Amino acid sequence: MAPRGRGRVLVLACGALAREIMAIQALNGLDHIDLHCLPAILHNHPDRIVPALQAAVADRASGYDRLFVAYADCGSGGAIADFCATHGAEMIAGAHCYAFFDGLERFAARDEIDAFYLTDFLARQFDAFVTRPLGLDRYPELRDTYFGNYRRLVYLAQTDDSALTSKAEQAAQALGLTFERRFTGYGDLTPSLMKA
């Protein structure tokens, strides 16, 4: 059931979370939320996330009672939290989506410095967000330079999709890493949105 009496909420989200947020909205009747996604590729340049959020607020925020930012810190060095404080917005707790999908406490307790993580989005978009931006399609010899300190690829699965699992396994093979799959569902994203 959607929260009552809280007014209209604009959710400014990372495009990598679009499917998950729309699924959570549908499952929980969160019809008081309007979603606007920013390009997921901004993660390759975290310094560009806050300017994009500022532009989105200028373009879209009028007429809303509240603002929710569906980003964690995401490499911004606290800039997203500063933006939220300035605009009276809430945001998702944690350093990144891997932590809030897995659950902040579980993720911190694992302390997996040798793991490279994929979500459903990254399994689906591996070539567009990893292979090509890092030049691995043109210079495959760079693989060990980028990924030599990783031991395994951990796929944090939001859905139970065998095709995505297969893509994640292929990504692990391409990177020369052992493969592990953990079903997380939507993790801490659901309660975060339920409060919006």
Side-chain angles (χ1 to χ4, degrees):
M1 176 178 277
R4 302 289 180 214
R6 299 188 78 175
R8 301 294 306 161
V9 178
L10 175 62
V11 173
L12 298 178
C14 172
L17 302 177
R19 284 179 188 239
E20 290 77 13
I21 292 172
M22 289 187 296
I24 292 167
Q25 280 182 280
L27 287 169
N28 296 286
L30 302 177
D31 56 5
H32 66 293
I33 288 176
D34 289 329
L35 175 63
H36 175 70
C37 290
L38 302 178
I41 200 71
L42 289 173
H43 278 287
N44 289 5
H45 306 279
D47 58 311
R48 298 180 188 172
I49 296 173
V50 168
L53 287 169
Q54 290 168 334
V57 165
D59 289 346
R60 298 181 177 272
S62 67
Y64 288 94
D65 300 295
R66 296 180 53 239
L67 177 64
F68 184 87
V69 174
Y71 278 90
D73 183 70
C74 302
S76 75
I80 295 173
D82 292 344
F83 168 86
C84 289
T86 299
H87 289 87
E90 295 178 49
M91 65 182 281
I92 301 172
H96 39 65
C97 60
Y98 314 126
F100 67 70
F101 278 138
D102 200 23
L104 296 177
E105 291 180 20
R106 265 190 312 277
F107 189 85
R110 292 185 207 280
D111 193 29
E112 298 174 315
I113 61 170
D114 64 347
F116 181 76
Y117 296 96
L118 293 185
T119 61
D120 281 6
F121 176 85
L122 285 172
R124 204 177 280 113
Q125 301 291 333
F126 185 77
D127 287 337
F129 281 80
V130 179
T131 305
R132 290 193 299 271
L134 294 178
L136 297 174
D137 54 333
R138 298 177 312 278
Y139 308 103
E141 65 275 11
L142 290 175
R143 180 190 81 176
D144 293 339
T145 301
Y146 291 131
F147 296 96
N149 291 322
Y150 293 108
R151 189 172 56 81
R152 61 202 159 116
L153 182 148
V154 177
Y155 170 39
L156 302 174
Q158 285 72 69
T159 57
D160 197 12
D161 184 323
S162 60
L164 285 181
T165 298
S166 178
K167 287 184 177 198
E169 286 181 292
Q170 291 167 15
Q173 290 170 1
L175 298 179
L177 304 174
T178 60
F179 177 73
E180 180 181 339
R181 180 186 182 274
R182 291 182 198 146
F183 180 76
T184 65
Y186 303 131
D188 293 342
L189 184 58
T190 298
S192 295
L193 286 174
M194 292 295 289
K195 294 177 197 171

